[in-house]
Amino acid sequence: MTEHLTGPRRPTSPLARAKSLPPWSLIAAGALAGGLLGGAYGLVKPPTYTATSYVVAVPNEKSDPASALGFAQAYGRVATQLAVLGDAQVWAGVPVSTLKESVRTATSPDAPMVAVTATSPRADLAADMANAVSRALTRHAQDAEKATNVELRQFARATKPTAPSSASSALTGLVGASAGGLLGGLALLVRPRRGAEEPRRPAVPGPAPAADVHGQL
């Protein structure tokens, strides 16, 4: 019996294995990995709570609504300045640096109102910081009322939020899955095609059987 000699099998390369995968596997793998990472991020990140208080500028008999609107815009800009935050830290019970990082203000071009928003990992602290800054701002406005002819009053106090304002783990997981699927689709576009495989080397014929050689002599 004659054995046919064959060359050694070459190990399958990662490129060859990638070519053999179905096209949808890259998208599925990317979506799965992105969803797991996004969900884990949502679970590990501490929740954030947001509370907002409102103050309104009211003109006196020597002023008009247009002036009140202009001063509301000005008070919205100075609410996060050191002069106001320095007084607010006494009522909030936190340093000025924490207030500067956590408190933001917003004004409306149509209404003489200032919204003071505070964020914190604690729901009660978020409300306390928003109310403290609003209180300090109205105190500073009272000191300048004779010059401005505009009074700043508290319109609505901030209440303790009942739910976090940060994204939940389900939402972060969905965002991660979408991003992972998109990356998988991009990888699919640059994936090597089957037609781009390297040309095969011609096979070397094995030795002829001894009986055939004897018949040819």
Side-chain angles (χ1 to χ4, degrees):
M1 182 179 294
T2 304
E3 296 182 355
H4 293 277
L5 300 178
T6 57
R9 295 182 178 179
R10 291 183 297 177
T12 306
S13 63
L15 181 60
R17 289 196 297 268
K19 293 177 182 179
S20 63
L21 293 175
W24 55 264
S25 61
L26 292 176
I27 300 178
L32 178 61
L36 292 176
L37 291 176
Y41 174 77
L43 292 174
V44 172
K45 184 182 179 182
T48 301
Y49 295 89
T50 302
T52 303
S53 64
Y54 298 90
V55 293
V56 60
V58 180
N60 59 19
E61 65 278 359
K62 297 180 181 180
S63 184
D64 52 60
S67 298
L69 180 60
F71 278 107
Q73 303 286 336
Y75 284 132
R77 289 190 290 269
V78 303
T80 55
Q81 299 301 316
L82 184 59
V84 177
L85 298 182
D87 293 341
Q89 68 174 339
V90 179
W91 299 305
V94 295
V96 173
S97 58
T98 302
L99 291 174
K100 197 168 186 62
E101 294 175 357
S102 306
V103 176
R104 296 291 181 269
T105 60
T107 57
S108 171
D110 302 320
M113 188 173 294
V114 182
V116 181
T117 303
T119 58
S120 173
R122 289 170 44 192
D124 58 340
L125 184 57
D128 290 343
M129 289 191 297
N131 290 325
V133 174
S134 296
R135 181 179 178 182
L137 184 60
T138 55
R139 290 283 297 272
H140 279 265
Q142 289 175 2
D143 296 338
E145 184 178 351
K146 292 182 178 180
T148 61
N149 294 319
V150 172
E151 180 185 2
L152 200 62
R153 299 177 184 175
Q154 188 170 45
F155 183 78
R157 287 178 56 84
T159 58
K160 180 181 176 180
T162 58
S165 57
S166 55
S168 62
S169 59
L171 181 58
T172 56
L174 181 61
V175 173
S178 301
L182 178 61
L183 292 177
L186 294 177
L188 182 62
L189 294 177
V190 299
R191 181 170 176 256
R193 305 295 181 181
R194 294 182 181 274
E197 296 180 355
E198 297 180 358
R200 297 181 179 180
R201 296 181 179 179
V204 178
D212 296 342
V213 175
H214 179 73
Q216 295 175 1
L217 295 178

